[in-house]
Amino acid sequence: MPGPLKVSKSIVTMDSEDQEEIANYPAEILNTFDVSDLPTHELQFKVGAIVILLKNIDSRQGLCNGTKLLITFLTDNVIVATIAAGKNKG
């Protein structure tokens, strides 16, 4: 698939007022956690790729678990996609 690859990583810092607690969980440790049924620490996307929605967002708009989406635009914090199939396509 042509085009640049966009890499999205999970959160790599802790948010706490306790500096000692933050020091106990550096990014290297946070990135090793592997929780079943959740995506890995690093996801790679390209415009034009098909992704599957993993959470019910808006059933009236067709954004339900398992909906196939076509990525149309990527930024650092946002994935813009359209529904790829079904009655709510586009």
Side-chain angles (χ1 to χ4, degrees), residues 41-59:
H41 160 67
E42 181 179 283
L43 298 175
Q44 300 177 1
F45 299 102
K46 282 190 173 188
V47 171
I50 299 286
V51 295
I52 296 177
L53 194 60
L54 297 178
K55 184 176 181 178
N56 294 333
I57 295 176
D58 186 349
S59 60

Side-chain angles (χ1 to χ4, degrees), residues 29-44:
I29 291 176
L30 293 174
N31 297 340
T32 63
F33 294 148
D34 186 20
V35 180
S36 63
D37 298 331
L38 289 179
T40 58
H41 160 67
E42 181 179 283
L43 298 175
Q44 300 177 1

